[in-house]
């Protein structure tokens, strides 16, 4: 039979031996989440690198791509979706314009405002990156059946809703 214990099991067992007065169940869950997060981060960075994108570029370009046809958002909408400061967003838009992945356009509804629009090259790169990302993430979850994935997604959603305020 295959070994079903992992490094977290060994760490928790050692702690229980030293501190049997503590409940280590949070460590059993969140240490695994932390370790999986590192694997996910590497897979994501690789998918973005192969599409010649930095993670921050992915954040902005994917927000624009998800906006649907026209692929444009205001800087304020981009701020809300990427959770960065106004100054950081301005810098990011400038850098993406310089790489010709987005362009600034006047907002037809408000002449004082601009919209950030995904260029064809930006769309091609973000589409390639999402394809690579989905493939890489599927590999990370390969050992789970579809019902297990659905159950895990539901449990993680339940946990994360407590933090999304």
């Amino acid at each position: 039979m295959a070994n079903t214990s992992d490094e977290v099991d060994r760490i928790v067992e050692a702690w229980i031996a030293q501190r049997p007065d503590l409940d280590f169940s949070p460590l059993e869950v969140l240490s695994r989440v932390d370790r999986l997060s590192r694997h996910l981060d590497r897979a994501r960075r690789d998918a973005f690198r192969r599409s010649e994108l930095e993670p921050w570029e992915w954040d902005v370009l994917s927000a624009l791509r998800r906006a649907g046809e026209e692929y444009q958002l205001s800087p304020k909408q981009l701020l809300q979706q990427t959770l960065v400061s106004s100054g950081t967003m301005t810098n990011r838009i400038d850098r993406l314009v310089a790489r010709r992945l987005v362009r600034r356009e006047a907002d037809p509804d408000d002449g004082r405002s601009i919209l950030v629009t995904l260029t064809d090259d930006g769309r091609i790169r973000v589409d390639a990156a999402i394809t690579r990302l989905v493939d890489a993430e599927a590999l990370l979850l390969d050992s789970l059946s579809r019902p297990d994935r659905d159950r895990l997604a539901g449990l993680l959603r339940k946990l994360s809703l407590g933090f999304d305020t």
Side-chain angles (χ1 to χ4, degrees), residues 44-87:
R44 285 184 166 187
R45 287 183 180 277
D46 183 57
F48 303 149
R49 181 189 51 76
R50 291 174 53 215
S51 299
E52 299 178 15
L53 294 174
E54 294 294 326
W56 67 265
E57 291 174 317
W58 160 258
D59 288 343
V60 176
L61 297 178
S62 67
L64 291 166
R65 181 64 171 95
R66 291 189 313 268
E69 200 62 48
E70 299 298 322
Y71 311 118
Q72 59 186 202
L73 295 169
S74 70
K76 182 178 179 180
Q77 290 169 313
L78 283 170
L79 283 172
Q80 292 167 341
Q81 291 198 30
T82 59
L83 304 175
V84 297
S85 70
S86 177

Side-chain angles (χ1 to χ4, degrees), residues 15-116:
W15 272 117
I16 289 171
Q18 297 302 310
R19 293 293 311 268
D21 57 311
L22 295 178
D23 173 13
F24 288 98
S25 62
L27 243 148
E28 290 182 287
V29 173
L30 298 176
S31 291
R32 287 184 176 97
V33 169
D34 181 56
R35 287 167 181 263
L36 291 169
S37 174
R38 292 181 213 171
H39 289 288
L40 176 59
D41 186 54
R42 277 195 293 272
R44 285 184 166 187
R45 287 183 180 277
D46 183 57
F48 303 149
R49 181 189 51 76
R50 291 174 53 215
S51 299
E52 299 178 15
L53 294 174
E54 294 294 326
W56 67 265
E57 291 174 317
W58 160 258
D59 288 343
V60 176
L61 297 178
S62 67
L64 291 166
R65 181 64 171 95
R66 291 189 313 268
E69 200 62 48
E70 299 298 322
Y71 311 118
Q72 59 186 202
L73 295 169
S74 70
K76 182 178 179 180
Q77 290 169 313
L78 283 170
L79 283 172
Q80 292 167 341
Q81 291 198 30
T82 59
L83 304 175
V84 297
S85 70
S86 177
T88 297
M89 182 53 66
T90 298
N91 179 270
R92 288 181 176 185
I93 293 168
D94 289 345
R95 291 170 68 186
L96 289 167
V97 167
R99 288 195 60 201
R100 294 187 167 97
L101 299 176
V102 303
R103 66 180 173 273
R104 287 184 173 94
E105 298 179 355
D107 185 339
D109 298 328
D110 181 357
R112 298 168 295 159
S113 299
I114 65 152
L115 294 172
V116 179

